[in-house]
Amino acid sequence: MRPTGSIGRERCASPGIRKENLTARRSRPHRPALEKRSPSLPRALCWKHNHDNDNPRREPAMAKQTQYQAHQPNADGFIDYSATEHRTWQALMERQLAIIEGRVCREYLVGLERLALPSDRIPQLGDIDRVLQATTGWQTAAVPALIPFDTFFELLANRRFPVATFIRAPEEMDYLQEPDIFHEIFGHCPMLTNPDFAEFTETYGKLGLAASKQERVYLARLYWMTVEFGLVDTPEGRRIYGGGIISSPRETCHALSDAPAHHPFDPVDALRTPYRIDILQPLYYVIDDLATLHDLAGQDIMALVREAMRLGLYAPTFEPKPRAAEA
Protein backbone atom coordinates (compact mmCIF):
# COMPACT_ATOMS: atom_id res chain seq x y z
CA MET A 1 0.00 0.00 0.00
CA ARG A 2 1.06 3.55 -0.61
CA PRO A 3 1.88 5.89 2.26
CA THR A 4 -0.78 8.06 3.89
CA GLY A 5 -2.20 10.77 1.68
CA SER A 6 -0.65 9.43 -1.52
CA ILE A 7 -3.79 7.78 -2.88
CA GLY A 8 -5.21 10.29 -5.30
CA ARG A 9 -7.47 10.42 -8.26
CA GLU A 10 -4.70 9.27 -10.55
CA ARG A 11 -5.24 5.74 -9.25
CA CYS A 12 -8.72 5.62 -10.78
CA ALA A 13 -9.53 5.44 -14.43
CA SER A 14 -11.99 8.02 -15.67
CA PRO A 15 -15.44 7.10 -14.34
CA GLY A 16 -17.11 7.59 -17.69
CA ILE A 17 -20.73 6.46 -18.04
CA ARG A 18 -21.20 2.74 -17.49
CA LYS A 19 -24.77 1.83 -18.27
CA GLU A 20 -24.56 -1.41 -20.20
CA ASN A 21 -27.29 -3.97 -20.70
CA LEU A 22 -27.51 -6.00 -17.51
CA THR A 23 -28.52 -9.51 -18.48
CA ALA A 24 -25.96 -11.84 -16.94
CA ARG A 25 -27.48 -12.15 -13.47
CA ARG A 26 -27.60 -15.94 -13.43
CA SER A 27 -24.66 -16.70 -15.66
CA ARG A 28 -21.79 -18.89 -14.53
CA PRO A 29 -20.11 -17.23 -11.53
CA HIS A 30 -16.98 -15.27 -12.27
CA ARG A 31 -14.21 -15.59 -9.71
CA PRO A 32 -11.93 -12.56 -9.99
CA ALA A 33 -8.55 -12.27 -8.37
CA LEU A 34 -9.15 -11.25 -4.78
CA GLU A 35 -7.95 -7.92 -3.52
CA LYS A 36 -8.40 -6.52 -0.04
CA ARG A 37 -10.93 -3.75 0.17
CA SER A 38 -10.20 -0.45 1.81
CA PRO A 39 -10.39 1.29 4.16
CA SER A 40 -12.93 0.21 6.80
CA LEU A 41 -15.77 -2.23 7.18
CA PRO A 42 -19.18 -0.70 7.68
CA ARG A 43 -20.51 -0.78 11.26
CA ALA A 44 -23.48 -2.88 10.27
CA LEU A 45 -21.11 -5.53 8.91
CA CYS A 46 -18.72 -5.63 11.85
CA TRP A 47 -21.35 -7.60 13.71
CA LYS A 48 -22.06 -9.56 10.55
CA HIS A 49 -18.58 -10.96 10.56
CA ASN A 50 -19.68 -14.46 9.46
CA HIS A 51 -22.10 -13.50 6.71
CA ASP A 52 -19.68 -14.69 4.06
CA ASN A 53 -20.40 -18.15 5.47
CA ASP A 54 -22.99 -19.96 3.36
CA ASN A 55 -24.74 -21.48 6.39
CA PRO A 56 -27.74 -19.19 7.03
CA ARG A 57 -28.73 -21.09 10.16
CA ARG A 58 -25.86 -19.67 12.17
CA GLU A 59 -26.19 -16.34 13.92
CA PRO A 60 -23.48 -13.95 12.72
CA ALA A 61 -20.70 -13.60 15.20
CA MET A 62 -19.77 -10.36 16.87
CA ALA A 63 -16.56 -8.87 15.55
CA LYS A 64 -13.52 -9.61 17.63
CA GLN A 65 -12.24 -7.15 20.17
CA THR A 66 -10.99 -3.84 18.87
CA GLN A 67 -8.00 -1.75 19.85
CA TYR A 68 -10.04 1.43 19.44
CA GLN A 69 -11.88 3.23 22.21
CA ALA A 70 -14.61 5.71 21.41
CA HIS A 71 -14.28 9.21 22.88
CA GLN A 72 -16.90 10.21 25.44
CA PRO A 73 -18.63 13.59 25.11
CA ASN A 74 -18.48 16.06 28.00
CA ALA A 75 -21.54 17.43 29.80
CA ASP A 76 -22.19 19.78 26.87
CA GLY A 77 -21.98 16.97 24.31
CA PHE A 78 -18.58 18.16 23.02
CA ILE A 79 -15.91 15.61 22.12
CA ASP A 80 -12.29 16.69 22.33
CA TYR A 81 -10.10 15.11 19.66
CA SER A 82 -6.32 15.35 19.44
CA ALA A 83 -4.40 17.29 16.81
CA THR A 84 -3.28 13.99 15.28
CA GLU A 85 -6.89 12.84 14.97
CA HIS A 86 -7.90 16.07 13.28
CA ARG A 87 -5.00 15.71 10.82
CA THR A 88 -6.15 12.17 10.02
CA TRP A 89 -9.66 13.45 9.27
CA GLN A 90 -8.21 16.17 7.03
CA ALA A 91 -6.08 13.67 5.10
CA LEU A 92 -9.05 11.35 4.61
CA MET A 93 -11.32 14.19 3.50
CA GLU A 94 -8.83 15.58 0.99
CA ARG A 95 -8.14 12.16 -0.48
CA GLN A 96 -11.72 11.01 -0.82
CA LEU A 97 -13.20 14.29 -2.05
CA ALA A 98 -10.85 14.12 -5.03
CA ILE A 99 -11.76 10.50 -5.80
CA ILE A 100 -15.57 10.70 -5.57
CA GLU A 101 -15.87 13.54 -8.08
CA GLY A 102 -17.98 12.29 -10.99
CA ARG A 103 -18.63 8.97 -9.25
CA VAL A 104 -21.25 9.57 -6.56
CA CYS A 105 -24.94 10.31 -7.08
CA ARG A 106 -26.38 13.81 -7.00
CA GLU A 107 -28.35 13.08 -3.81
CA TYR A 108 -25.14 12.31 -1.97
CA LEU A 109 -23.57 15.56 -3.14
CA VAL A 110 -26.65 17.52 -2.06
CA GLY A 111 -26.41 15.94 1.37
CA LEU A 112 -22.69 16.60 1.59
CA GLU A 113 -23.30 20.27 0.81
CA ARG A 114 -26.02 20.46 3.45
CA LEU A 115 -23.79 18.93 6.10
CA ALA A 116 -20.95 21.33 5.24
CA LEU A 117 -18.39 18.98 6.82
CA PRO A 118 -15.23 20.76 7.96
CA SER A 119 -12.13 19.68 6.09
CA ASP A 120 -9.62 20.46 8.83
CA ARG A 121 -11.24 18.91 11.91
CA ILE A 122 -13.57 16.11 12.99
CA PRO A 123 -17.12 17.48 13.17
CA GLN A 124 -19.15 17.44 16.35
CA LEU A 125 -22.19 15.16 16.21
CA GLY A 126 -24.50 17.98 17.27
CA ASP A 127 -23.67 19.82 14.06
CA ILE A 128 -24.57 16.73 12.02
CA ASP A 129 -27.78 16.24 14.01
CA ARG A 130 -29.10 19.72 13.28
CA VAL A 131 -28.95 19.05 9.54
CA LEU A 132 -30.33 15.51 9.69
CA GLN A 133 -33.21 16.47 11.94
CA ALA A 134 -34.14 19.39 9.68
CA THR A 135 -34.17 17.24 6.55
CA THR A 136 -35.39 13.73 7.47
CA GLY A 137 -35.83 13.68 11.26
CA TRP A 138 -32.74 11.55 11.85
CA GLN A 139 -29.88 12.11 14.27
CA THR A 140 -26.67 10.36 15.17
CA ALA A 141 -25.98 8.25 18.25
CA ALA A 142 -22.49 8.12 19.75
CA VAL A 143 -21.61 4.46 20.30
CA PRO A 144 -18.56 2.32 21.14
CA ALA A 145 -16.50 0.80 18.35
CA LEU A 146 -18.63 -2.36 18.37
CA ILE A 147 -22.29 -2.74 19.33
CA PRO A 148 -24.71 -5.68 19.74
CA PHE A 149 -27.22 -6.68 17.06
CA ASP A 150 -30.26 -5.46 18.95
CA THR A 151 -28.71 -2.06 19.66
CA PHE A 152 -27.94 -1.54 15.99
CA PHE A 153 -31.48 -2.37 14.85
CA GLU A 154 -33.09 -0.40 17.67
CA LEU A 155 -31.14 2.72 16.81
CA LEU A 156 -32.04 2.55 13.13
CA ALA A 157 -35.69 1.84 13.95
CA ASN A 158 -35.73 5.09 15.96
CA ARG A 159 -33.99 7.12 13.23
CA ARG A 160 -30.69 7.28 15.09
CA PHE A 161 -27.59 6.40 13.11
CA PRO A 162 -24.78 4.80 15.18
CA VAL A 163 -21.46 6.63 14.96
CA ALA A 164 -18.37 5.38 16.76
CA THR A 165 -16.53 8.44 18.08
CA PHE A 166 -13.00 7.42 17.18
CA ILE A 167 -10.92 7.78 14.05
CA ARG A 168 -8.42 5.34 12.65
CA ALA A 169 -4.74 5.54 13.50
CA PRO A 170 -2.46 7.07 10.83
CA GLU A 171 -0.86 3.67 10.21
CA GLU A 172 -4.29 2.23 9.31
CA MET A 173 -5.34 4.87 6.81
CA ASP A 174 -5.79 2.32 4.03
CA TYR A 175 -7.36 -0.63 5.81
CA LEU A 176 -9.48 -0.69 8.96
CA GLN A 177 -11.87 -3.41 10.07
CA GLU A 178 -13.90 -1.29 12.46
CA PRO A 179 -16.15 1.47 11.10
CA ASP A 180 -14.77 4.77 12.37
CA ILE A 181 -16.28 8.25 12.43
CA PHE A 182 -15.02 9.04 8.94
CA HIS A 183 -16.81 6.06 7.44
CA GLU A 184 -20.03 6.82 9.28
CA ILE A 185 -20.13 10.59 8.75
CA PHE A 186 -18.60 10.94 5.30
CA GLY A 187 -19.87 7.64 3.91
CA HIS A 188 -23.43 7.52 5.24
CA CYS A 189 -24.71 10.76 6.72
CA PRO A 190 -25.05 12.71 3.44
CA MET A 191 -27.42 10.02 2.13
CA LEU A 192 -29.47 10.20 5.34
CA THR A 193 -30.62 13.68 4.23
CA ASN A 194 -32.46 11.95 1.36
CA PRO A 195 -36.03 10.93 2.32
CA ASP A 196 -36.08 7.71 0.28
CA PHE A 197 -32.79 6.46 1.68
CA ALA A 198 -33.69 7.51 5.22
CA GLU A 199 -37.08 5.79 5.03
CA PHE A 200 -35.57 2.52 3.85
CA THR A 201 -32.91 2.59 6.57
CA GLU A 202 -35.56 3.13 9.26
CA THR A 203 -37.70 0.33 7.85
CA TYR A 204 -34.68 -1.98 7.84
CA GLY A 205 -34.09 -1.30 11.52
CA LYS A 206 -37.69 -2.09 12.43
CA LEU A 207 -37.61 -5.33 10.47
CA GLY A 208 -34.32 -6.38 12.04
CA LEU A 209 -35.66 -5.88 15.55
CA ALA A 210 -38.49 -8.33 14.93
CA ALA A 211 -36.55 -10.81 12.77
CA SER A 212 -35.30 -14.22 13.83
CA LYS A 213 -31.60 -15.07 13.84
CA GLN A 214 -31.84 -16.78 10.47
CA GLU A 215 -33.86 -13.94 8.96
CA ARG A 216 -31.28 -11.41 10.17
CA VAL A 217 -28.57 -13.23 8.22
CA TYR A 218 -30.59 -12.76 5.04
CA LEU A 219 -31.49 -9.16 5.87
CA ALA A 220 -27.79 -8.42 6.27
CA ARG A 221 -27.25 -9.21 2.60
CA LEU A 222 -29.93 -6.73 1.59
CA TYR A 223 -28.28 -3.99 3.67
CA TRP A 224 -24.87 -4.83 2.22
CA MET A 225 -26.11 -4.68 -1.38
CA THR A 226 -27.94 -1.37 -0.90
CA VAL A 227 -26.97 0.91 1.99
CA GLU A 228 -23.34 -0.17 1.97
CA PHE A 229 -22.50 -1.16 -1.60
CA GLY A 230 -25.35 0.08 -3.78
CA LEU A 231 -25.12 1.68 -7.22
CA VAL A 232 -27.79 3.75 -8.98
CA ASP A 233 -28.43 4.69 -12.59
CA THR A 234 -28.87 8.42 -13.17
CA PRO A 235 -29.26 10.66 -16.25
CA GLU A 236 -25.52 11.37 -15.89
CA GLY A 237 -24.61 7.67 -15.82
CA ARG A 238 -24.06 5.02 -13.19
CA ARG A 239 -23.21 6.43 -9.77
CA ILE A 240 -22.49 5.31 -6.21
CA TYR A 241 -24.80 5.74 -3.24
CA GLY A 242 -23.51 3.02 -0.85
CA GLY A 243 -21.47 4.32 2.08
CA GLY A 244 -19.12 1.34 2.12
CA ILE A 245 -17.96 2.37 -1.35
CA ILE A 246 -17.97 6.13 -0.82
CA SER A 247 -15.64 6.03 2.19
CA SER A 248 -13.11 3.74 0.47
CA PRO A 249 -10.70 5.02 -2.18
CA ARG A 250 -10.07 1.66 -3.78
CA GLU A 251 -13.68 0.53 -3.68
CA THR A 252 -14.78 3.84 -5.24
CA CYS A 253 -12.48 3.26 -8.20
CA HIS A 254 -13.26 -0.45 -8.44
CA ALA A 255 -17.06 -0.22 -8.27
CA LEU A 256 -17.47 1.71 -11.52
CA SER A 257 -14.68 -0.05 -13.39
CA ASP A 258 -15.08 -2.98 -15.78
CA ALA A 259 -13.73 -5.46 -13.20
CA PRO A 260 -16.88 -6.25 -11.16
CA ALA A 261 -20.26 -7.45 -12.40
CA HIS A 262 -23.22 -5.06 -12.29
CA HIS A 263 -26.61 -6.71 -11.79
CA PRO A 264 -30.03 -5.03 -12.00
CA PHE A 265 -31.41 -4.80 -8.48
CA ASP A 266 -33.89 -7.44 -7.47
CA PRO A 267 -34.49 -7.72 -3.72
CA VAL A 268 -34.78 -11.51 -3.69
CA ASP A 269 -31.57 -11.80 -5.70
CA ALA A 270 -29.79 -9.46 -3.28
CA LEU A 271 -31.04 -11.47 -0.30
CA ARG A 272 -29.63 -14.64 -1.89
CA THR A 273 -26.19 -13.25 -2.76
CA PRO A 274 -23.27 -14.23 -0.50
CA TYR A 275 -20.46 -11.75 0.07
CA ARG A 276 -17.06 -11.42 1.69
CA ILE A 277 -16.28 -8.47 3.90
CA ASP A 278 -12.52 -8.39 3.33
CA ILE A 279 -12.21 -8.03 -0.45
CA LEU A 280 -13.15 -5.61 -3.19
CA GLN A 281 -16.64 -6.64 -4.17
CA PRO A 282 -17.00 -8.86 -7.27
CA LEU A 283 -20.57 -7.66 -7.98
CA TYR A 284 -22.88 -4.76 -7.23
CA TYR A 285 -26.64 -4.35 -7.58
CA VAL A 286 -27.88 -1.32 -9.51
CA ILE A 287 -31.19 0.41 -8.72
CA ASP A 288 -33.01 2.52 -11.33
CA ASP A 289 -33.24 5.52 -8.98
CA LEU A 290 -33.44 6.19 -5.27
CA ALA A 291 -37.25 5.99 -5.39
CA THR A 292 -36.62 2.23 -5.66
CA LEU A 293 -35.67 2.30 -1.97
CA HIS A 294 -38.92 4.08 -1.12
CA ASP A 295 -40.87 1.44 -3.04
CA LEU A 296 -38.90 -1.36 -1.35
CA ALA A 297 -39.66 0.06 2.10
CA GLY A 298 -43.37 -0.23 1.27
CA GLN A 299 -43.14 -3.89 0.25
CA ASP A 300 -43.47 -6.93 2.50
CA ILE A 301 -39.72 -7.37 2.83
CA MET A 302 -40.03 -10.26 5.25
CA ALA A 303 -42.09 -12.16 2.66
CA LEU A 304 -39.18 -11.58 0.28
CA VAL A 305 -36.80 -12.87 2.95
CA ARG A 306 -38.85 -16.06 3.32
CA GLU A 307 -38.84 -16.50 -0.46
CA ALA A 308 -35.06 -16.09 -0.54
CA MET A 309 -34.69 -18.61 2.28
CA ARG A 310 -36.85 -21.08 0.35
CA LEU A 311 -34.78 -20.68 -2.82
CA GLY A 312 -31.41 -20.70 -1.07
CA LEU A 313 -28.19 -18.86 -1.78
CA TYR A 314 -26.57 -18.30 -5.14
CA ALA A 315 -23.13 -19.78 -5.68
CA PRO A 316 -20.45 -17.37 -4.40
CA THR A 317 -18.67 -15.25 -6.99
CA PHE A 318 -15.46 -15.26 -4.93
CA GLU A 319 -12.98 -17.75 -3.57
CA PRO A 320 -13.57 -19.01 -0.02
CA LYS A 321 -11.86 -17.07 2.71
CA PRO A 322 -8.62 -18.88 3.68
CA ARG A 323 -8.81 -20.52 7.06
CA ALA A 324 -6.24 -19.48 9.64
CA ALA A 325 -3.38 -21.93 9.89
CA GLU A 326 -3.86 -24.30 12.79
CA ALA A 327 -1.34 -24.15 15.59
Side-chain angles (χ1 to χ4, degrees):
M1 298 227 178
R2 296 188 184 184
T4 297
S6 65
I7 298 180
R9 195 171 177 190
E10 70 279 3
R11 295 191 63 185
C12 298
S14 173
I17 298 179
R18 177 176 173 175
K19 202 167 182 177
E20 74 281 14
N21 182 26
L22 305 179
T23 58
R25 179 159 51 213
R26 292 179 176 83
S27 60
R28 185 164 57 99
H30 171 60
R31 297 179 181 269
L34 300 184
E35 191 173 5
K36 267 194 175 182
R37 65 174 302 271
S38 155
S40 64
L41 293 179
R43 162 163 312 284
L45 282 308
C46 268
W47 55 257
K48 303 185 196 94
H49 200 63
N50 281 343
H51 282 184
D52 55 330
N53 190 304
D54 289 345
N55 179 6
R57 295 185 297 276
R58 194 164 75 182
E59 174 76 19
M62 290 290 289
K64 296 181 179 179
Q65 290 188 350
T66 174
Q67 64 170 317
Y68 289 102
Q69 295 294 321
H71 292 282
Q72 297 301 312
N74 63 19
D76 297 322
F78 184 87
I79 298 176
D80 187 24
Y81 296 97
S82 70
T84 298
E85 290 170 320
H86 287 307
R87 285 195 295 271
T88 299
W89 172 274
Q90 182 174 7
L92 291 168
M93 281 283 289
E94 291 174 351
R95 176 173 73 176
Q96 205 60 13
L97 282 173
I99 294 173
I100 66 171
E101 183 179 348
R103 295 183 169 88
V104 295
C105 66
R106 180 185 60 82
E107 291 83 355
Y108 173 87
L109 294 174
V110 170
L112 189 65
E113 183 176 1
R114 285 173 171 167
L115 290 174
L117 299 178
S119 61
D120 59 344
R121 61 176 174 83
I122 300 172
Q124 295 295 316
L125 296 187
D127 296 332
I128 305 298
D129 291 346
R130 279 187 284 275
V131 177
L132 295 182
Q133 288 176 330
T135 53
T136 57
W138 276 72
Q139 59 183 317
T140 61
V143 298
L146 302 174
I147 58 176
F149 317 114
D150 288 341
T151 301
F152 174 74
F153 287 124
E154 184 175 5
L155 288 171
L156 295 187
N158 289 283
R159 289 189 285 186
R160 301 183 67 201
F161 194 76
V163 175
T165 50
F166 75 91
I167 197 162
R168 70 200 69 182
E171 58 269 21
E172 290 196 291
M173 286 282 286
D174 294 329
Y175 187 78
L176 180 70
Q177 176 170 292
E178 303 91 333
D180 66 352
I181 194 168
F182 180 77
H183 167 80
E184 306 290 25
I185 298 297
F186 186 86
H188 286 296
C189 285
M191 287 303 303
L192 282 170
T193 66
N194 176 266
D196 293 331
F197 184 93
E199 178 190 18
F200 173 72
T201 306
E202 178 186 359
T203 299
Y204 179 86
K206 291 176 178 177
L207 294 175
L209 269 180
S212 68
K213 292 181 179 181
Q214 185 180 8
E215 289 168 340
R216 284 180 174 183
V217 176
Y218 276 81
L219 280 173
R221 299 188 183 98
L222 183 62
Y223 193 92
W224 180 273
M225 301 298 175
T226 54
V227 174
E228 295 293 356
F229 288 90
L231 300 179
V232 58
D233 276 335
T234 76
E236 296 76 35
R238 190 152 298 159
R239 296 292 185 263
I240 301 164
Y241 73 92
I245 308 175
I246 292 172
S247 62
S248 165
R250 293 175 67 199
E251 197 87 32
T252 300
C253 299
H254 172 77
L256 295 179
S257 73
D258 293 330
H262 287 183
H263 293 178
F265 178 76
D266 177 279
V268 174
D269 284 348
L271 287 160
R272 298 177 63 197
T273 301
Y275 61 81
R276 271 183 60 178
I277 63 177
D278 60 336
I279 60 173
L280 294 171
Q281 297 304 292
L283 69 87
Y284 302 87
Y285 282 98
V286 185
I287 60 177
D288 293 330
D289 52 48
L290 288 179
T292 300
L293 298 180
H294 166 78
D295 296 341
L296 181 59
Q299 294 184 46
D300 186 348
I301 294 177
M302 296 314 298
L304 301 178
V305 169
R306 291 188 289 272
E307 175 67 5
M309 292 168 65
R310 184 187 69 81
L311 294 170
L313 298 183
Y314 287 126
T317 57
F318 49 81
E319 299 295 339
K321 186 174 182 178
R323 295 185 179 276
E326 296 186 6

